[in-house]
Amino acid sequence: DGAKVLVIRNEHLVDDWNSVERYIGGEPNVLSNTTIPVMNKSNKDSDDKWLSPKAQQIVCRMLCNEIVAYKQILRRSLNLNYMEVERSMEELKET
């Protein structure tokens, strides 16, 4: 229940990987943005993100447990500071 975890968020892969490395005593900057390109992070046209209100309700209902679990994992993270967790919470609200 009170487990602490090390978190690597896909949206912040390089920073999180490096913070995990620092936490466990490894190299402080083992990865750089040129080491691992982010393949699924791209700007989308607002038309690409459109869902009907009914579809939004269905998606939210189906993902509710996963979103709650994701938030709990972020809050238990040992390698993320308060601002990093808050930034992820804001990013979650925007999607």
Side-chain angles (χ1 to χ4, degrees):
D1 225 324
K4 298 291 184 180
V5 294
L6 299 173
V7 172
I8 298 177
R9 302 162 293 169
N10 189 58
E11 304 83 12
H12 306 283
L13 179 64
V14 172
D15 291 335
D16 290 353
W17 190 284
N18 287 331
S19 73
V20 167
E21 282 286 332
R22 279 190 302 275
Y23 187 85
I24 62 174
E27 293 291 322
N29 292 307
V30 70
L31 293 182
S32 69
N33 287 326
T34 58
T35 309
I36 298 181
V38 179
M39 302 304 286
N40 67 340
K41 188 175 182 180
S42 62
N43 293 327
K44 302 275 191 236
D45 185 301
S46 61
D47 291 337
D48 291 340
K49 294 183 176 183
W50 188 84
L51 287 175
S52 71
K54 176 107 173 128
Q56 289 176 12
Q57 289 177 348
I58 292 168
V59 169
C60 287
R61 189 172 40 249
M62 299 305 290
L63 292 177
C64 182
N65 290 338
E66 285 79 4
I67 293 169
V68 169
Y70 178 69
K71 288 178 178 181
Q72 290 172 341
I73 290 167
L74 289 175
R75 289 186 185 110
R76 291 180 179 176
S77 169
L78 295 172
N79 63 302
L80 301 180
N81 65 39
Y82 174 80
M83 291 307 296
E84 290 168 323
V85 171
E86 286 302 307
R87 180 173 58 191
S88 284
M89 295 296 183
E90 288 300 317
E91 291 168 352
L92 188 58
K93 287 180 189 175
E94 292 170 5
T95 58

